[in-house]
Amino acid sequence: MKHPAAIIIHGGAGHVTKYIKENQAAYESGLKTAVMKGYDILLRGGTALDAVETAIISLEDNELFNCARGSALNYEGKVEMDAAVMDGSKRKAGAVSMIRNVRNPISLARKVMEKTNHVYIAGSGALQLALSEKLKLEEDDYFITPHQEEEYRKTHKKESIRTILKKFIGGTVGAVAVDCKGHVASGTSTGGEVNNLPGRVGDSCIIGAGCYANDATCAISCTGDGEFLITGVIANSISKVKELTGCSLQEACDRVIHRDNKGVKGDLGAIALTPGGDMGIAFNSERMHRAWISPDGHLHIKIYKE
Ligand code: GLY
């Protein structure tokens, strides 16, 4: 049986800022381009994994989003990126963290999954893999945009190293897709949080926290404040609620984000999709950049709550 294809992407959850308002049309256009590129792969019979990687590369190459080009700068004013992918049909995953100079960390995460026996490779070892797989590299300057430099300067001036440990500024991109064979996949990529300590690793590359996919339940990609997404094991929790209660995926997302993690002092957002095309989108923040093409083929783009 041919399954109807569908895809959801996100471009980060957090506060509404002047910068976001001023660039709303460009954000919407970036979301549209990315979701259409992913959907086009699905329409041509491609895999959910290819669709997820393609959509995320489009967001990684767009300097508006906090990942790859456009990454937040850490306390030392440097970029360190995390990413993960998971293939729900095989329950295989690949993840990378503390990545520098690799143009598309999502593709490196996929190389970890497909070319090694590991799930997770960090730092210089990951760079070695990128070199041996001939992935595109960029100079440091490529990743540092004027907007993120300004954010860094504003935040860095105000914060001592002690206060940074208590402060969170979310970002991230992600995608989930179901292909015409009914397989799901997910991917997540981030530049971390503005001014975070060097070596800090967020949820995006942690399987079960910011990324998870399983054909038996659903695919999930998260965004928001990584520390809470990790301790709440948010992606896996949504999958488990779906599996154990048999509720709709929207109900599973709402329960995990709005009930089980009610009172959490950070931003949490998730997008999720089942092999049958059931969708779930939930966030507790002021906004979550998101776009999706549902199994009926309709395109939706949103930033704010309704
Ligand atoms: N959600 C992205 C991060 O906390 O790094």
Side-chain angles (χ1 to χ4, degrees):
M1 187 183 110
K2 200 170 174 207
H3 288 253
I7 181 166
I8 316 176
I9 64 170
H10 69 72
H15 300 304
V16 175
T17 63
K18 189 163 167 265
Y19 184 82
I20 288 171
K21 283 191 187 153
E22 283 170 359
N23 291 283
Q24 182 165 333
Y27 274 112
E28 286 168 350
S29 162
L31 289 167
K32 182 175 176 183
T33 301
V35 80
M36 298 285 284
K37 281 187 176 176
Y39 191 62
D40 189 50
I41 300 271
L42 299 170
L43 285 184
R44 289 191 281 118
T47 64
L49 194 60
D50 283 339
V52 159
E53 184 185 9
T54 300
I56 291 178
I57 287 174
S58 179
L59 296 167
E60 284 183 336
D61 289 347
N62 184 332
E63 68 174 57
L64 286 172
F65 297 95
N66 175 12
C67 57
R69 185 168 208 200
S71 284
L73 305 187
N74 72 13
Y75 192 73
E76 290 176 343
K78 293 187 175 145
V79 163
E80 284 183 339
M81 304 168 286
D82 302 335
V85 287
M86 186 155 179
D87 179 347
S89 66
K90 303 190 179 94
R91 273 213 259 170
K92 283 190 77 178
V96 291
S97 70
M98 297 173 62
I99 300 305
R100 305 196 57 188
N101 301 106
V102 175
R103 182 180 171 115
N104 295 113
I106 196 70
S107 300
L108 183 54
R110 185 169 177 175
K111 293 288 183 200
V112 172
M113 179 174 79
E114 293 180 339
K115 299 287 168 105
T116 79
N117 292 323
H118 307 307
V119 169
Y120 199 141
I121 303 183
S124 59
L127 183 58
Q128 286 305 316
L129 180 66
L131 288 169
S132 68
E133 290 298 324
K134 302 194 173 17
L135 293 187
K136 260 192 221 161
L137 302 184
E138 301 287 352
E139 297 293 331
D140 289 346
D141 282 358
Y142 167 85
F143 298 91
I144 301 179
T145 62
H147 172 60
Q148 291 292 3
E149 207 164 16
E150 175 62 21
E151 288 295 299
Y152 169 72
R153 284 192 207 293
K154 273 194 306 206
T155 321
H156 193 73
K157 262 195 291 193
K158 280 195 225 139
E159 291 185 327
S160 69
I161 201 140
R162 190 180 288 275
T163 57
I164 286 162
L165 298 172
K166 299 189 178 127
K167 184 168 186 307
F168 304 95
I169 302 171
T172 300
V173 305
V176 291
V178 56
D179 60 35
C180 62
K181 291 190 173 151
H183 298 311
V184 293
S186 67
T188 312
S189 178
T190 191
E193 295 178 343
V194 178
N195 224 16
N196 66 206
L197 297 180
R200 178 260 186 193
V201 175
D203 62 292
S204 305
C205 59
I206 297 186
I207 302 304
C211 181
Y212 185 71
N214 182 349
D215 273 6
T217 55
C218 55
I220 305 114
S221 173
C222 295
T223 173
D225 296 323
E227 281 67 11
F228 295 113
L229 292 157
I230 293 169
T231 50
V233 203
I234 299 297
N236 187 246
S237 297
I238 291 171
S239 172
K240 277 289 166 208
V241 168
K242 172 76 188 144
E243 180 186 344
L244 299 177
T245 70
C247 64
S248 74
L249 192 54
Q250 186 58 52
E251 285 166 339
C253 290
D254 285 337
R255 176 173 152 169
V256 171
I257 301 286
H258 297 299
R259 195 189 90 178
D260 300 350
N261 289 279
K262 193 173 174 191
V264 161
K265 302 248 178 301
D267 297 326
L268 305 174
I271 55 172
L273 188 56
T274 67
D278 189 18
M279 295 186 156
I281 299 177
F283 57 102
N284 68 358
S285 45
E286 288 176 355
R287 52 100 199 153
M288 180 168 81
H289 288 68
R290 59 205 188 277
W292 65 99
I293 299 178
S294 37
D296 61 12
H298 284 114
L299 168 69
H300 308 257
I301 302 169
K302 286 183 190 288
I303 294 178
Y304 308 106
K305 290 181 180 169
E306 281 327 305

